[in-house]
Amino acid sequence: RDVKVGRETFSKPLKVAESKNSCDALSKEIYSQVFDWVVTIMNKMTAAEDNYDNASEVEEYGRVGLLDIFGFESFGVNRFEQLCINYANEKIQQIYTLDTFRSVQEEYEEQDIQLETITFPDNADVLRLIEGRVGLIAVLNEECVRPNGNDETFVSKVVTVNKESEYLFKEKLFRPVEFAVSHYAGTVKYDATEFVRKNSDTIPSNLLGLAYKSSNKIISVELKAAAEARAGKPSAGRGKKGKTVTVATKFRAQLTSLMNNIAETRTRYVRCIKPNPEKLPVRLNLASTAEQLRSAGVLSAIAISRAAFPSRLDHDDFVERYDFLSSARFEEADKEEKKEETWDNDSGTRAYVEEVVLEILGDETTVIDEGQELTAYACGKTRIYFRAGVLEKIEALRTSALSKHAIILQRYGRGYLERSHFQKVKEATITLQKIIRRYRMRSFFLRVLRASINISCWVRCILAKKLLVALRRNKASTIIQTYWRTVHMLKYFVSCRNAAIQIQKIARGARDRKYAKSRAAQKMRGSLMRSRVQSIKQSITKVAMAAAAATALAEAAEEERLGTLEENVIEEMEGEVSALSMTNNELEKALLTQKEENKKLKEKHEAVQLKLEAVTSAKKKLEEEVQKKDKEIDNLRSELKKAKLKNRNDVVWLKGAMEEKDAENKAKIESLRKQLEEAKSPKHSKKKKKKFGKREGSMTRASFKKQEGKKSAVAEEFDFDTESDRLANKLKKKKLKGWR
């Protein structure tokens, strides 16, 4: 960096940490100037006097400002930044407390209530500790100006100068650079490391000159004033001589300006509370929420607003809720008229409410608080205020009065419920009786219906047995016919199969004999042809040998004899050649005819093979069918044997069952005859006849039940009726007609 001593300027090298701090200071300055530029542009764009055509006609414009600051901060290690933020929160809390007290005071004056002395927490001592003449900011600025100022000396001076302050702490276990301040939201321990450097935040002049030469107009124009301030020259844009100030001094000046602006406006406070640290829906962390409310100063504001009269109600709400507790304030005849007359003006309303309160409280219109006797309530123009505990007492009286009326209402309600319950029980009893009677009559009807069904079932059973016997006989005859036809057709099939086999033998023998003869003739012709060809080959070789001998003789003989012999030999050779050519032609013709015969024989052979394959496949199918038929015949024979054995066993068993059934029917016929004789005897009186009729009905029902059981047993054991069963059924029908 450049150091100016007198009129001379020297360049001093910096360490790495110092260079980094200089760069950080320049970046902070750029950010600050750019932020101010953005705010200025936004204010110009939103200013009504600069953006409307008829702005000159308006005498005065209002102003709306939005302030968003950091909340109270307390971390494990708190630095210079946390001190500035908590300092700003202390200032905001002070004005918030004063605004709350002022609003309470205005409310009491508006309601025409005498305001008593209200004590509320004041943080003026904490602010004095921070921004006072010997406060933290002043000592820190002094330490920044001092040549060898450091953080430990700053903490030591602060503790020494403010040792009588109740809001500054320096415990034994603290390090030399640590101290604690008791803020309105709680005690915060600060670490003063780098307080002096961060408060100084000096920017070397050569860095400012570099920024002034930047191509970015915003940076060059906005930092021009800062560069001139560092050099001590007047700024063209600002018109003031620059002066080096610390960060804490700047912050205090800006905060003071902000407080002045807030004091000139009507403030509205919005407190943002985070319900839980996890940021989950529908979940409230009570400890975290209470800590945030305490840190935001909401609890102290509530304590101020409820210092004198913590409970308050509007006149309309009070009368609507507690009017019924005062019973003797007016006569019953003109109570409503007087109420309407007094309700027209505020004074009448106030008097009416005071009369109701006096009627409710009676002699308890005063309370004792810290040894002083105070009025229990204060009635304003539109509201009524109560001391602590008074409204709860009135609410208890209201609850007891309502409980008495509730008991009466409960009595009538319970009576109505019991009568309704009795009526429902009565209706249910009648319905139950109807159901029981219906069940009894239905049971009787079902018994009669079952008896009639049993009779009709017995009759149908007899008819069905007859039909079953006929069907079984028909089925047995059909099975016998089937077996007989099967045996007959099997014999016929065997004879046909043997005849077909014999015919196939004769046909195959005739066909094979013809084929064998043709094959033998063909072989003979082939052997003849081969012998002829062999003889021709031998003659050709002989001619060749003769020709060779002739040539040899011709060479040895004389020329004269050669001529004569040559002619003779040539003639002989020509004759033999012509004979050989003729024999060769005949052999070729014979060969062609032999090839044609061979082709015909091959075609016949292929046709014969196809026929043989068809015959063999048909033979296999016939053999498979014969095997299947043999298996079916064996199965039919086994089934026929089983059926014969079963029929024999069934016949034996049926004979025994028929004998038992005849004996039972005879016993039943004798008992029925005895009952008929007793019924026809003249000794019985009319009463006995009536009794006998009842017994007869019960007997018939019992007999029907017995007959039903016997019928089911017979249906399981027997499949047809005998002649004795038919006679017994006829007798039963006659006796039933006699009883009717």
Side-chain angles (χ1 to χ4, degrees):
R1 67 176 179 176
D2 295 337
V3 179
K4 190 174 183 180
V5 180
R7 295 181 180 181
E8 295 180 359
T9 303
F10 300 95
S11 295
K12 179 183 178 182
L14 299 176
K15 297 179 182 179
V16 176
E18 293 176 349
S19 300
K20 187 177 183 304
N21 293 334
S22 299
C23 292
D24 293 340
L26 179 61
S27 62
K28 292 176 184 177
E29 185 67 23
I30 291 172
Y31 178 82
S32 176
Q33 298 299 328
V34 171
F35 184 81
D36 293 340
W37 176 80
V38 171
V39 172
T40 304
I41 296 299
M42 290 179 65
N43 290 334
K44 286 181 180 179
M45 296 299 293
T46 56
E49 59 270 17
D50 297 335
N51 294 296
Y52 291 97
D53 297 334
N54 56 351
S56 59
E57 299 177 1
V58 180
E59 296 180 359
E60 185 179 359
Y61 285 93
R63 183 175 61 179
V64 176
L66 298 176
L67 175 63
D68 184 13
I69 65 169
F70 293 98
F72 186 81
E73 292 185 356
S74 178
F75 303 121
V77 178
N78 299 286
R79 303 289 187 181
F80 181 72
E81 293 81 2
Q82 280 71 42
L83 178 63
C84 293
I85 291 169
N86 293 337
Y87 171 43
N89 279 280
E90 289 284 354
K91 295 290 284 186
I92 295 294
Q93 179 64 24
Q94 185 184 35
I95 195 168
Y96 176 59
T97 304
L98 293 174
D99 286 344
T100 304
F101 178 74
R102 192 181 301 112
S103 63
V104 172
Q105 186 178 8
E106 290 176 356
E107 182 182 358
Y108 283 8
E109 291 175 357
E110 182 182 356
Q111 294 292 331
D112 195 13
I113 296 174
Q114 185 177 0
L115 182 63
E116 300 175 358
T117 303
I118 298 176
T119 58
F120 58 90
D122 189 7
N123 60 345
D125 294 337
V126 180
L127 291 173
R128 194 178 300 111
L129 174 64
I130 296 172
E131 63 182 5
R133 294 182 62 183
V134 291
L136 298 176
I137 295 175
V139 176
L140 184 60
N141 290 337
E142 182 182 352
E143 197 66 21
C144 292
V145 174
R146 200 166 65 86
N148 295 323
N150 54 43
D151 300 325
E152 295 181 3
T153 309
F154 159 69
V155 174
S156 176
K157 284 183 179 180
V158 166
V159 173
T160 303
V161 173
N162 299 285
K163 60 183 179 180
E164 296 180 358
S165 177
E166 299 177 357
Y167 299 95
L168 183 65
F169 301 96
K170 177 67 175 177
E171 297 182 0
K172 294 181 180 180
L173 298 178
F174 283 3
R175 292 186 300 162
V177 292
E178 290 181 348
F179 65 95
V181 177
S182 178
H183 293 281
Y184 73 93
T187 303
V188 180
K189 184 175 72 172
Y190 293 99
D191 188 349
T193 304
E194 296 187 354
F195 264 38
V196 175
R197 184 190 64 78
K198 291 181 179 179
N199 188 40
S200 300
D201 204 13
T202 56
I203 304 174
S205 58
N206 53 354
L207 286 180
L208 285 175
L210 181 64
Y212 176 71
K213 296 176 183 179
S214 174
S215 60
N216 192 323
K217 293 182 180 180
I218 298 174
I219 296 175
S220 61
V221 172
E222 293 299 325
L223 289 181
K224 184 179 180 181
E228 292 176 352
R230 293 288 187 272
K233 298 179 181 179
S235 175
R238 311 265 175 109
K240 293 182 180 179
K241 187 176 181 179
K243 184 180 179 181
T244 303
V245 291
T246 61
V247 174
T249 304
K250 288 181 185 178
F251 190 77
R252 181 174 58 184
Q254 293 175 0
L255 194 59
T256 303
S257 176
L258 175 64
M259 294 299 108
N260 294 332
N261 291 332
I262 291 174
E264 296 175 357
T265 59
R266 292 187 62 186
T267 54
R268 297 289 184 271
Y269 297 92
V270 178
R271 300 292 186 182
C272 298
I273 304 299
K274 185 167 64 175
N276 58 78
E278 295 83 8
K279 299 180 182 179
L280 297 175
V282 198
R283 180 179 292 182
L284 181 65
N285 190 333
L286 296 178
S288 176
T289 305
E291 181 65 23
Q292 291 179 69
L293 291 172
R294 185 177 61 81
S295 300
V298 177
L299 299 180
S300 60
I302 294 172
I304 293 170
S305 62
R306 297 182 177 274
F309 298 98
S311 303
R312 62 197 71 186
L313 285 173
D314 292 338
H315 288 168
D316 296 338
D317 296 337
F318 179 80
V319 172
E320 182 180 359
R321 189 171 180 82
Y322 303 108
D323 186 30
F324 72 96
L325 294 177
S326 61
S327 58
R329 58 187 182 280
F330 298 116
E331 294 295 332
E332 293 294 333
D334 57 348
K335 180 173 65 175
E336 295 297 331
E337 295 180 359
K338 288 184 178 181
K339 183 177 179 181
E340 292 178 358
E341 290 177 0
T342 56
W343 211 260
D344 292 337
N345 50 19
D346 295 339
S347 60
T349 304
R350 189 173 183 178
Y352 180 77
V353 172
E354 286 183 353
E355 190 171 356
V356 171
V357 173
L358 289 173
E359 182 68 23
I360 294 170
L361 294 177
D363 297 335
E364 298 179 357
T365 57
T366 59
V367 295
I368 297 173
D369 185 12
E370 296 180 358
Q372 296 181 1
E373 187 175 1
L374 304 173
T375 56
Y377 68 94
C379 188
K381 294 180 180 180
T382 59
R383 292 180 183 176
I384 182 168
Y385 298 84
F386 296 96
R387 298 277 183 186
V390 177
L391 187 61
E392 287 78 1
K393 183 178 180 180
I394 297 174
E395 187 66 25
L397 294 173
R398 179 179 178 274
T399 303
S400 62
L402 289 175
S403 63
K404 293 179 182 178
H405 296 292
I407 291 169
I408 297 171
L409 292 175
Q410 288 174 359
R411 184 178 65 188
Y412 285 107
R414 287 169 183 163
Y416 171 75
L417 292 174
E418 291 297 328
R419 285 191 294 274
S420 301
H421 179 67
F422 172 75
Q423 191 67 24
K424 290 179 181 178
V425 171
K426 183 178 178 182
E427 293 175 357
T429 305
I430 294 169
T431 305
L432 185 61
Q433 290 175 353
K434 288 192 292 184
I435 293 170
I436 293 171
R437 292 186 185 118
R438 182 183 67 187
Y439 174 74
R440 288 179 179 177
M441 295 304 295
R442 189 172 181 275
S443 300
F444 177 73
F445 169 74
L446 291 175
R447 287 197 299 272
V448 174
L449 181 64
R450 281 195 294 271
S452 61
I453 291 170
N454 289 333
I455 294 169
S456 61
C457 182
W458 186 260
V459 173
R460 291 192 190 98
C461 183
I462 293 169
L463 297 175
K465 284 180 180 179
K466 293 179 180 179
L467 180 62
L468 180 62
V469 170
L471 291 173
R472 285 190 172 181
R473 287 175 180 174
N474 189 10
K475 183 180 178 182
S477 63
T478 304
I479 291 169
I480 292 168
Q481 290 176 2
T482 303
Y483 290 157
W484 185 84
R485 287 171 186 162
T486 303
V487 172
H488 179 69
M489 294 304 294
L490 183 61
K491 289 179 180 179
Y492 177 72
F493 170 73
V494 170
S495 63
C496 290
R497 184 179 64 180
N498 293 331
I501 291 167
Q502 192 67 27
I503 291 166
Q504 287 175 359
K505 285 180 182 179
I506 294 167
R508 288 170 186 166
R511 184 190 63 192
D512 291 340
R513 281 192 292 275
K514 288 181 181 180
Y515 180 70
K517 287 179 181 180
S518 64
R519 292 280 291 178
Q522 187 177 2
K523 286 180 180 180
M524 288 295 291
R525 286 194 296 271
S527 62
L528 289 173
M529 290 298 295
R530 283 193 294 274
S531 64
R532 286 179 184 178
V533 171
Q534 191 69 26
S535 63
I536 290 166
K537 287 181 179 181
Q538 289 176 2
S539 62
I540 290 167
T541 54
K542 286 179 181 181
V543 171
M545 289 173 67
T551 54
L553 289 174
E555 289 177 356
E558 297 177 355
E559 292 179 359
E560 294 177 359
R561 292 178 182 181
L562 185 61
T564 57
L565 290 173
E566 186 177 357
E567 293 177 358
N568 294 326
V569 172
I570 289 169
E571 289 177 359
E572 289 177 3
M573 288 297 291
E574 286 178 356
E576 288 180 1
V577 169
S578 61
L580 288 171
S581 62
M582 289 174 67
T583 55
N584 191 13
N585 291 329
E586 290 176 359
L587 289 172
E588 287 179 354
K589 290 178 181 179
L591 184 61
L592 291 172
T593 55
Q594 189 65 32
K595 286 181 178 179
E596 290 177 356
E597 288 178 0
N598 288 333
K599 285 182 180 179
K600 291 178 181 179
L601 288 172
K602 284 182 180 179
E603 291 176 355
K604 288 180 181 180
H605 182 67
E606 290 175 356
V608 169
Q609 283 183 350
L610 291 172
K611 289 179 181 179
L612 285 172
E613 289 177 357
V615 169
T616 53
S617 63
K619 183 182 177 182
K620 288 181 180 179
K621 289 181 180 178
L622 288 172
E623 288 177 354
E624 289 176 356
E625 290 179 357
V626 168
Q627 289 177 0
K628 288 181 181 178
K629 293 293 182 182
D630 291 338
K631 289 181 181 179
E632 290 179 357
I633 289 165
D634 294 336
N635 293 330
L636 290 172
R637 285 176 180 173
S638 62
E639 288 180 0
L640 184 60
K641 289 179 182 179
K642 289 179 182 178
K644 287 179 180 179
L645 292 172
K646 186 178 180 182
N647 289 330
R648 288 175 186 174
N649 295 329
D650 291 341
V651 168
V652 173
W653 181 72
L654 286 171
K655 284 181 181 180
M658 288 171 64
E659 290 176 359
E660 292 178 359
K661 186 69 176 178
D662 291 337
E664 289 180 1
N665 289 332
K666 286 178 182 179
K668 288 180 182 179
I669 290 166
E670 289 178 0
S671 64
L672 290 171
R673 283 177 181 174
K674 289 179 182 180
Q675 289 178 3
L676 276 172
E677 289 175 0
E678 290 177 359
K680 290 179 180 179
S681 63
K683 295 179 181 181
H684 295 83
S685 61
K686 294 182 180 178
K687 292 182 181 178
K688 289 183 178 180
K689 285 181 180 179
K690 291 181 180 178
K691 291 180 181 179
F692 180 75
K694 292 181 181 179
R695 290 175 183 174
E696 181 183 352
S698 63
M699 183 183 70
T700 54
R701 287 194 293 273
S703 64
F704 286 148
K705 290 182 180 179
K706 290 178 181 179
Q707 288 172 4
E708 183 179 0
K710 290 177 181 180
K711 173 180 72 73
S712 61
V714 170
E716 292 176 359
E717 296 177 358
F718 299 96
D719 294 328
F720 56 89
D721 290 341
T722 60
E723 293 295 328
S724 60
D725 292 333
R726 295 173 186 171
L727 293 172
N729 290 329
K730 288 180 181 179
L731 288 172
K732 285 180 183 179
K733 289 179 181 178
K734 289 180 181 179
K735 289 178 181 180
L736 288 171
K737 287 180 181 178
W739 288 347
R740 289 176 184 174

Short mmCIF file of all heavy atoms in Angstrom, two decimals, residues 436-466:
data_model
loop_
_atom_site.label_atom_id
_atom_site.label_comp_id
_atom_site.label_asym_id
_atom_site.label_seq_id
_atom_site.Cartn_x
_atom_site.Cartn_y
_atom_site.Cartn_z
N ILE A 436 -92.97 -63.64 17.92
CA ILE A 436 -93.10 -64.96 18.57
C ILE A 436 -94.38 -65.64 18.12
O ILE A 436 -94.40 -66.84 17.81
CB ILE A 436 -93.04 -64.80 20.09
CG1 ILE A 436 -91.62 -64.34 20.50
CG2 ILE A 436 -93.40 -66.09 20.79
CD1 ILE A 436 -91.50 -63.95 21.94
N ARG A 437 -95.50 -64.85 18.11
CA ARG A 437 -96.77 -65.45 17.67
C ARG A 437 -96.68 -65.91 16.21
O ARG A 437 -97.18 -66.98 15.84
CB ARG A 437 -97.90 -64.43 17.83
CG ARG A 437 -98.21 -64.11 19.29
CD ARG A 437 -99.42 -63.22 19.39
NE ARG A 437 -99.66 -62.81 20.76
CZ ARG A 437 -99.63 -61.56 21.19
NH1 ARG A 437 -99.37 -60.59 20.35
NH2 ARG A 437 -99.85 -61.28 22.46
N ARG A 438 -96.07 -65.08 15.40
CA ARG A 438 -95.92 -65.47 14.00
C ARG A 438 -95.07 -66.72 13.88
O ARG A 438 -95.38 -67.62 13.07
CB ARG A 438 -95.26 -64.34 13.23
CG ARG A 438 -95.08 -64.61 11.74
CD ARG A 438 -94.37 -63.50 11.06
NE ARG A 438 -92.99 -63.42 11.54
CZ ARG A 438 -92.15 -62.44 11.23
NH1 ARG A 438 -92.52 -61.46 10.44
NH2 ARG A 438 -90.91 -62.44 11.72
N TYR A 439 -94.04 -66.86 14.71
CA TYR A 439 -93.19 -68.04 14.67
C TYR A 439 -93.96 -69.29 15.05
O TYR A 439 -93.82 -70.35 14.42
CB TYR A 439 -91.99 -67.83 15.60
CG TYR A 439 -91.11 -69.04 15.76
CD1 TYR A 439 -90.26 -69.44 14.72
CD2 TYR A 439 -91.15 -69.81 16.92
CE1 TYR A 439 -89.46 -70.56 14.84
CE2 TYR A 439 -90.36 -70.94 17.04
CZ TYR A 439 -89.52 -71.30 16.00
OH TYR A 439 -88.74 -72.42 16.13
N ARG A 440 -94.80 -69.18 16.11
CA ARG A 440 -95.58 -70.35 16.54
C ARG A 440 -96.55 -70.80 15.45
O ARG A 440 -96.63 -72.00 15.12
CB ARG A 440 -96.34 -70.02 17.82
CG ARG A 440 -95.43 -69.90 19.04
CD ARG A 440 -96.25 -69.53 20.26
NE ARG A 440 -95.40 -69.44 21.46
CZ ARG A 440 -95.86 -69.07 22.65
NH1 ARG A 440 -97.15 -68.75 22.80
NH2 ARG A 440 -95.03 -69.02 23.67
N MET A 441 -97.32 -69.84 14.89
CA MET A 441 -98.27 -70.19 13.84
C MET A 441 -97.56 -70.73 12.61
O MET A 441 -98.03 -71.66 11.96
CB MET A 441 -99.11 -68.97 13.47
CG MET A 441 -100.00 -68.47 14.60
SD MET A 441 -101.10 -69.73 15.27
CE MET A 441 -102.14 -70.04 13.85
N ARG A 442 -96.44 -70.18 12.30
CA ARG A 442 -95.70 -70.66 11.14
C ARG A 442 -95.16 -72.07 11.37
O ARG A 442 -95.15 -72.91 10.46
CB ARG A 442 -94.53 -69.71 10.84
CG ARG A 442 -93.82 -69.98 9.54
CD ARG A 442 -92.82 -68.87 9.23
NE ARG A 442 -92.14 -69.12 7.96
CZ ARG A 442 -91.07 -69.88 7.81
NH1 ARG A 442 -90.54 -70.46 8.89
NH2 ARG A 442 -90.53 -70.06 6.62
N SER A 443 -94.73 -72.35 12.62
CA SER A 443 -94.26 -73.70 12.94
C SER A 443 -95.39 -74.72 12.78
O SER A 443 -95.20 -75.81 12.22
CB SER A 443 -93.71 -73.74 14.36
OG SER A 443 -92.63 -72.83 14.51
N PHE A 444 -96.61 -74.34 13.29
CA PHE A 444 -97.76 -75.25 13.14
C PHE A 444 -98.09 -75.48 11.66
O PHE A 444 -98.34 -76.61 11.22
CB PHE A 444 -98.97 -74.65 13.86
CG PHE A 444 -100.22 -75.47 13.71
CD1 PHE A 444 -100.37 -76.68 14.38
CD2 PHE A 444 -101.24 -75.04 12.88
CE1 PHE A 444 -101.52 -77.44 14.21
CE2 PHE A 444 -102.39 -75.79 12.72
CZ PHE A 444 -102.53 -76.99 13.39
N PHE A 445 -98.05 -74.39 10.90
CA PHE A 445 -98.32 -74.52 9.46
C PHE A 445 -97.28 -75.39 8.76
O PHE A 445 -97.62 -76.21 7.90
CB PHE A 445 -98.35 -73.12 8.83
CG PHE A 445 -98.37 -73.14 7.33
CD1 PHE A 445 -99.53 -73.48 6.64
CD2 PHE A 445 -97.22 -72.83 6.61
CE1 PHE A 445 -99.53 -73.52 5.26
CE2 PHE A 445 -97.23 -72.87 5.23
CZ PHE A 445 -98.40 -73.21 4.56
N LEU A 446 -96.03 -75.23 9.15
CA LEU A 446 -94.99 -76.03 8.54
C LEU A 446 -95.14 -77.51 8.89
O LEU A 446 -94.85 -78.39 8.06
CB LEU A 446 -93.62 -75.52 8.97
CG LEU A 446 -93.21 -74.15 8.43
CD1 LEU A 446 -91.89 -73.71 9.05
CD2 LEU A 446 -93.09 -74.19 6.91
N ARG A 447 -95.58 -77.82 10.15
CA ARG A 447 -95.82 -79.22 10.51
C ARG A 447 -96.91 -79.84 9.64
O ARG A 447 -96.78 -80.95 9.13
CB ARG A 447 -96.18 -79.32 11.99
CG ARG A 447 -95.01 -79.11 12.93
CD ARG A 447 -95.31 -79.63 14.32
NE ARG A 447 -96.44 -78.95 14.94
CZ ARG A 447 -96.35 -77.84 15.65
NH1 ARG A 447 -95.16 -77.28 15.86
NH2 ARG A 447 -97.42 -77.28 16.18
N VAL A 448 -98.01 -79.09 9.47
CA VAL A 448 -99.10 -79.58 8.61
C VAL A 448 -98.61 -79.75 7.17
O VAL A 448 -98.92 -80.74 6.49
CB VAL A 448 -100.31 -78.61 8.68
CG1 VAL A 448 -101.38 -79.02 7.69
CG2 VAL A 448 -100.88 -78.57 10.09
N LEU A 449 -97.83 -78.77 6.72
CA LEU A 449 -97.32 -78.85 5.35
C LEU A 449 -96.41 -80.04 5.17
O LEU A 449 -96.48 -80.76 4.15
CB LEU A 449 -96.57 -77.55 5.03
CG LEU A 449 -95.99 -77.43 3.63
CD1 LEU A 449 -97.10 -77.43 2.59
CD2 LEU A 449 -95.16 -76.16 3.50
N ARG A 450 -95.55 -80.30 6.16
CA ARG A 450 -94.67 -81.46 6.05
C ARG A 450 -95.44 -82.77 6.04
O ARG A 450 -95.09 -83.71 5.32
CB ARG A 450 -93.65 -81.45 7.21
CG ARG A 450 -92.49 -80.50 7.00
CD ARG A 450 -91.37 -80.81 7.97
NE ARG A 450 -91.73 -80.57 9.35
CZ ARG A 450 -91.59 -79.41 9.99
NH1 ARG A 450 -91.07 -78.38 9.34
NH2 ARG A 450 -91.95 -79.28 11.24
N ALA A 451 -96.53 -82.83 6.85
CA ALA A 451 -97.35 -84.05 6.86
C ALA A 451 -97.97 -84.29 5.49
O ALA A 451 -97.95 -85.42 4.97
CB ALA A 451 -98.43 -83.93 7.93
N SER A 452 -98.53 -83.25 4.88
CA SER A 452 -99.13 -83.41 3.55
C SER A 452 -98.07 -83.76 2.50
O SER A 452 -98.30 -84.59 1.62
CB SER A 452 -99.84 -82.12 3.16
OG SER A 452 -98.91 -81.05 3.09
N ILE A 453 -96.89 -83.15 2.66
CA ILE A 453 -95.82 -83.47 1.71
C ILE A 453 -95.38 -84.92 1.88
O ILE A 453 -95.09 -85.61 0.89
CB ILE A 453 -94.64 -82.50 1.92
CG1 ILE A 453 -95.02 -81.09 1.46
CG2 ILE A 453 -93.39 -82.96 1.17
CD1 ILE A 453 -94.03 -80.03 1.83
N ASN A 454 -95.35 -85.42 3.11
CA ASN A 454 -94.96 -86.82 3.35
C ASN A 454 -95.94 -87.78 2.69
O ASN A 454 -95.55 -88.79 2.09
CB ASN A 454 -94.88 -87.10 4.84
CG ASN A 454 -93.67 -86.42 5.48
OD1 ASN A 454 -92.67 -86.18 4.81
ND2 ASN A 454 -93.77 -86.09 6.75
N ILE A 455 -97.24 -87.47 2.80
CA ILE A 455 -98.26 -88.34 2.18
C ILE A 455 -98.08 -88.37 0.67
O ILE A 455 -98.04 -89.43 0.03
CB ILE A 455 -99.67 -87.87 2.57
CG1 ILE A 455 -99.88 -88.05 4.09
CG2 ILE A 455 -100.73 -88.62 1.78
CD1 ILE A 455 -101.12 -87.39 4.62
N SER A 456 -97.97 -87.15 0.08
CA SER A 456 -97.80 -87.09 -1.37
C SER A 456 -96.48 -87.73 -1.79
O SER A 456 -96.40 -88.39 -2.84
CB SER A 456 -97.86 -85.64 -1.84
OG SER A 456 -96.82 -84.89 -1.24
N CYS A 457 -95.47 -87.59 -0.97
CA CYS A 457 -94.17 -88.19 -1.28
C CYS A 457 -94.26 -89.72 -1.26
O CYS A 457 -93.65 -90.40 -2.08
CB CYS A 457 -93.13 -87.67 -0.29
SG CYS A 457 -91.48 -88.31 -0.59
N TRP A 458 -95.03 -90.25 -0.28
CA TRP A 458 -95.19 -91.71 -0.20
C TRP A 458 -95.85 -92.25 -1.45
O TRP A 458 -95.43 -93.26 -2.01
CB TRP A 458 -96.01 -92.04 1.05
CG TRP A 458 -96.10 -93.51 1.31
CD1 TRP A 458 -97.14 -94.32 1.02
CD2 TRP A 458 -95.11 -94.32 1.89
NE1 TRP A 458 -96.89 -95.60 1.38
CE2 TRP A 458 -95.62 -95.63 1.94
CE3 TRP A 458 -93.83 -94.08 2.41
CZ2 TRP A 458 -94.91 -96.71 2.46
CZ3 TRP A 458 -93.14 -95.15 2.93
CH2 TRP A 458 -93.65 -96.43 2.95
N VAL A 459 -96.88 -91.52 -1.91
CA VAL A 459 -97.59 -91.97 -3.12
C VAL A 459 -96.66 -91.90 -4.33
O VAL A 459 -96.57 -92.84 -5.14
CB VAL A 459 -98.85 -91.11 -3.35
CG1 VAL A 459 -99.50 -91.46 -4.68
CG2 VAL A 459 -99.84 -91.31 -2.22
N ARG A 460 -95.94 -90.80 -4.45
CA ARG A 460 -95.02 -90.66 -5.58
C ARG A 460 -93.90 -91.69 -5.53
O ARG A 460 -93.42 -92.16 -6.56
CB ARG A 460 -94.42 -89.26 -5.59
CG ARG A 460 -95.40 -88.15 -5.92
CD ARG A 460 -94.66 -86.85 -6.19
NE ARG A 460 -95.57 -85.72 -6.29
CZ ARG A 460 -95.85 -84.86 -5.32
NH1 ARG A 460 -95.26 -85.01 -4.14
NH2 ARG A 460 -96.70 -83.88 -5.50
N CYS A 461 -93.51 -92.03 -4.32
CA CYS A 461 -92.45 -93.02 -4.16
C CYS A 461 -92.89 -94.39 -4.69
O CYS A 461 -92.12 -95.09 -5.35
CB CYS A 461 -92.06 -93.11 -2.68
SG CYS A 461 -90.70 -94.23 -2.35
N ILE A 462 -94.12 -94.76 -4.40
CA ILE A 462 -94.64 -96.05 -4.89
C ILE A 462 -94.65 -96.07 -6.41
O ILE A 462 -94.20 -97.03 -7.06
CB ILE A 462 -96.05 -96.30 -4.32
CG1 ILE A 462 -95.94 -96.52 -2.79
CG2 ILE A 462 -96.71 -97.51 -4.98
CD1 ILE A 462 -97.27 -96.51 -2.08
N LEU A 463 -95.18 -94.97 -7.00
CA LEU A 463 -95.23 -94.91 -8.46
C LEU A 463 -93.82 -94.90 -9.06
O LEU A 463 -93.56 -95.54 -10.10
CB LEU A 463 -95.99 -93.65 -8.90
CG LEU A 463 -97.46 -93.60 -8.47
CD1 LEU A 463 -98.06 -92.24 -8.85
CD2 LEU A 463 -98.27 -94.71 -9.10
N ALA A 464 -92.91 -94.19 -8.42
CA ALA A 464 -91.54 -94.13 -8.93
C ALA A 464 -90.85 -95.48 -8.84
O ALA A 464 -90.03 -95.84 -9.71
CB ALA A 464 -90.75 -93.08 -8.15
N LYS A 465 -91.18 -96.27 -7.80
CA LYS A 465 -90.58 -97.61 -7.67
C LYS A 465 -91.00 -98.51 -8.83
O LYS A 465 -90.20 -99.26 -9.37
CB LYS A 465 -90.97 -98.23 -6.35
CG LYS A 465 -90.22 -97.66 -5.16
CD LYS A 465 -90.65 -98.32 -3.88
CE LYS A 465 -89.90 -97.73 -2.70
NZ LYS A 465 -90.33 -98.36 -1.42
N LYS A 466 -92.29 -98.42 -9.18
CA LYS A 466 -92.76 -99.21 -10.31
C LYS A 466 -92.02 -98.83 -11.59
O LYS A 466 -91.58 -99.69 -12.36
CB LYS A 466 -94.27 -99.01 -10.50
CG LYS A 466 -95.10 -99.58 -9.37
CD LYS A 466 -96.59 -99.30 -9.62
CE LYS A 466 -97.44 -99.87 -8.47
NZ LYS A 466 -98.88 -99.58 -8.70
#
